[in-house]
Amino acid sequence: MCDLYSNTTAVEAMRQLFDVDASHNHLGNARPRPGIHPKGTAPVVALDDDGDRELVEMSWGFRAPQVSKRTGKPIKPAAWNNARDDKLMKSGLWKGSFAERRCLVPASSFNETMGQKPATDYWFALAGDGDDRAPFAIAGLWRVEREDLLEPEHPRRVHTMVTTEANDLVRPIHAKGRMPVILRHDDYETWLTGSLEEAAALIKPYPSDEMQIVLKGIGEKRDEAGL
């Protein structure tokens, strides 16, 4: 389960990378995000009502109503920040968004943690020179969330990232053998506009020889480790 990722790419660089027209950039002067946690806000590339790509802020994680097992009263909902590939067509939580609301989640790296007391954080990125972190896109889904399930300051649109079986680099670290689905640039349009079958064909582990571990730390501040 990925519950922490970073996006340190400048807004203009994201706009160009994801082929978003300047008039559809709604991020303003958004700051880099060295540590994005569930329920945090982050840039997302989605299609607007006219089918054009736009850069917008979304809150990470679909919300679902929850009640206390002890009192039966509503409590703060958890954020469903990962959508398993084998559940996309079966679960009502994901099915509609997979069919109609796919998106790109810009990222620079993602974190997986191994062990406890102390835990070791591993940050994964695309292969490059040293600790350089080239921007990439994670396959995502989005929807407009119920207002009563969100904090007042959160945007109404929420996103999640699709996960699949881990590759050989991530598998030894992730206890359940999962990783986010990383898309190649040539596949962005297919993920956003293709058929269910075409989109499903893109869901696979990213080659481990095209990735690297850019940071490993024990007991570090997780937000800062994403830098």
Side-chain angles (χ1 to χ4, degrees):
M1 179 177 186
C2 180
D3 66 356
L4 177 61
Y5 71 102
S6 71
N7 177 12
T8 55
T9 306
V11 172
E12 181 60 21
M14 273 193 288
R15 189 185 71 77
Q16 295 184 27
L17 175 64
F18 296 108
D19 300 319
V20 177
D21 188 87
S23 63
H24 295 141
N25 170 25
H26 306 297
L27 298 181
N29 296 317
R31 57 182 173 79
R33 312 293 171 88
I36 303 168
H37 295 266
K39 297 188 179 181
T41 58
V44 173
V45 179
L47 300 181
D48 64 15
D49 292 340
D50 296 322
D52 296 320
R53 295 186 190 184
E54 60 177 351
L55 265 169
V56 296
E57 291 271 359
M58 294 190 190
S59 178
W60 186 21
F62 285 21
R63 312 300 204 269
Q66 285 187 292
V67 296
S68 169
K69 293 181 179 179
R70 183 173 63 85
T71 67
K73 295 181 178 180
I75 57 176
K76 287 184 178 181
W80 293 84
N81 48 294
N82 291 173
R84 288 179 58 103
D85 55 352
D86 55 350
K87 303 290 185 181
L88 294 179
M89 293 299 296
K90 301 175 182 178
S91 170
L93 186 62
W94 313 125
K95 190 174 182 178
S97 292
F98 182 50
E100 301 176 3
R101 295 179 297 277
R102 298 189 291 268
C103 63
L104 307 174
V105 183
S108 303
S109 57
F110 66 90
N111 174 279
E112 298 295 351
T113 302
M114 184 170 67
Q116 295 179 349
K117 299 180 181 180
T120 302
D121 284 329
Y122 293 80
W123 285 87
F124 297 89
L126 299 188
D129 296 328
D131 285 344
D132 289 345
R133 304 187 187 188
F136 57 91
I138 295 172
L141 313 174
W142 71 274
R143 73 179 185 184
V144 177
E145 195 53 89
R146 280 174 40 182
E147 193 168 3
D148 63 303
L149 298 179
L150 298 167
E151 298 296 330
E153 69 275 12
H154 286 171
R156 289 289 306 280
R157 284 195 276 186
V158 298
H159 70 285
T160 190
M161 57 178 61
V162 178
T163 65
T164 189
E165 294 183 6
N167 60 24
D168 291 341
L169 183 67
V170 179
R171 188 181 303 110
I173 309 304
H174 193 281
K176 295 184 179 180
R178 308 290 299 176
M179 69 176 291
V181 174
I182 298 175
L183 299 171
R184 298 188 183 277
H185 187 276
D186 292 345
D187 294 327
Y188 292 172
E189 184 65 18
T190 300
W191 179 257
L192 290 172
T193 65
S195 66
L196 289 175
E197 292 75 15
E198 291 171 332
L202 301 178
I203 300 175
K204 53 191 174 183
Y206 201 76
S208 56
D209 60 356
E210 297 182 33
M211 294 179 62
Q212 62 179 335
I213 296 173
V214 291
L215 186 68
K216 180 177 73 172
I218 299 175
E220 297 194 37
K221 294 181 179 179
R222 302 184 80 201
D223 287 355
E224 297 177 3
L227 289 169

